[in-house]
Amino acid sequence: MTTPHPPHEPRRPATGEPRPHGPTAPAPAPPDCPTPERTARAALSRVIEPGDPRAGRWLRELGPVALWHALTGDGPPPRGGSRAALDGLRLRAARADPAGDLATAAALGARFLCPGDDEWPGQLDDLGDTRPTGLWVRGGANLRLWALRSVALVGARACTEYGAHLAATLGAGLADRGWTVVSGAAYGIDGAAHRGTLAAGGATLAVLACGIDRAYPSGHTELIDRIVQQGLIVGELPPGAHPTRSRFIQRNRVIAALTRGTVVVEAALRSGSLVTARRAQTLGRLTMGVPGPVTSALSAGVHQLLRGEATVVTCADEVVEHAGAIGDLAPEPRGPVLARDLLEPATARVLEALPPRGTVSLADVAHASGLSQDVTHSRLHELCTLGFVRRSGTRWEFVRQADPPTGSRRGGT
């Protein structure tokens, strides 16, 4: 029986320990002469649709080289596939050019990662037969290291100003705490999360549903270029591949598996962001949601998620407390401390005994506070020194506008 692998500690190649990486270690350069396995996986990334469990089973049973030969007609066909399905895959295989795809990626400064590489995030193996065939990556950072301490921020494309503000604020806050923010570079919440992280000088990673040489959506061309320069762009599909609805859905499983947890900022009841969160739950990852107005349809999906196993979060500290290590606790939220909150109990009783308007005698204050006249007299002088009351002859009155600055405890020791 094999020992289960921790979900966020990548699996290592069986041939030995990889060289150590520091927190900012550069990503290893792709080999000049790709191995047959790497070439086969690059070819299969163009032939097999992301998240296809049947093809994933074939890949697990046959290995990438044998499966590639089977789909090109150089080997026996894989078992369990219909004739129509195999014909479609073989048509794609006939048009595949893995050497050209690898060359295009190299010209972009990109690389193709395979399971077992030093930079491969081992948590993706939790996807089983729907694990990516490989990953095309642009950016100079080490994907494995960045993913070890990462959180997904996802949400509605047509978000509100409230949602965009929260996503940007969360992204900046997580960046300040050294976390990688993962999203999909889409309009709305995704874009706001990336921008907030970049503005704070943090680490952000975009998982695309198309080739890494394409900017989709086109309106985010500048943003995606910035992510390439400051962060990482990741995708399952080879250069030139276009996005489809199913590819967006399958992209969400990579976001869910890659990160420690998923935060949904805004989402309607039929939002793809909920797909990401629910996939995260099935993978044993954490799910969190930011509540919004109950009258907003764009918060209805988040509220539905929060009625289940998701956790309410409202700031980056709470996200880190939930997804981070033991001891990463968010500060307890408190309201503002007023000067009168720092008064000694007896002094506070005397202050509360004064009417809001008009003057009152010492005897009346003592009677209302339940204290002796001597104690009341002493406390009234303390309150007068602090600016809470003033004396008018033998009578006392409350000073409504007084709010002395807070500091050490007032009103006696």
Side-chain angles (χ1 to χ4, degrees), residues 193-230:
H194 288 307
R195 289 190 181 94
T197 308
L198 291 170
T204 191
L205 188 159
V207 182
L208 303 184
C210 58
I212 55 170
D213 59 335
R214 299 188 61 167
Y216 189 90
S218 59
H220 275 178
T221 299
E222 182 180 351
L223 173 62
I224 291 173
D225 286 344
R226 286 183 61 201
I227 295 174
V228 170
Q229 306 226 346
Q230 294 182 229

Side-chain angles (χ1 to χ4, degrees), residues 59-133:
L59 185 58
R60 171 173 51 84
E61 293 174 349
L62 301 176
V65 176
L67 178 57
W68 173 239
H69 289 163
L71 296 180
T72 57
D74 295 332
R79 295 178 299 175
S82 67
R83 179 63 179 270
L86 286 173
D87 286 345
L89 292 174
R90 283 172 173 163
L91 182 62
R92 283 188 171 188
R95 299 177 180 178
D97 179 15
D101 288 337
L102 290 169
T104 299
L108 292 169
R111 55 198 179 276
F112 181 67
L113 301 181
C114 298
D117 287 348
D118 287 355
E119 200 186 349
W120 181 262
Q123 56 265 42
L124 292 180
D125 298 343
D126 293 344
L127 291 170
D129 287 342
T130 64
R131 179 183 70 174
T133 303

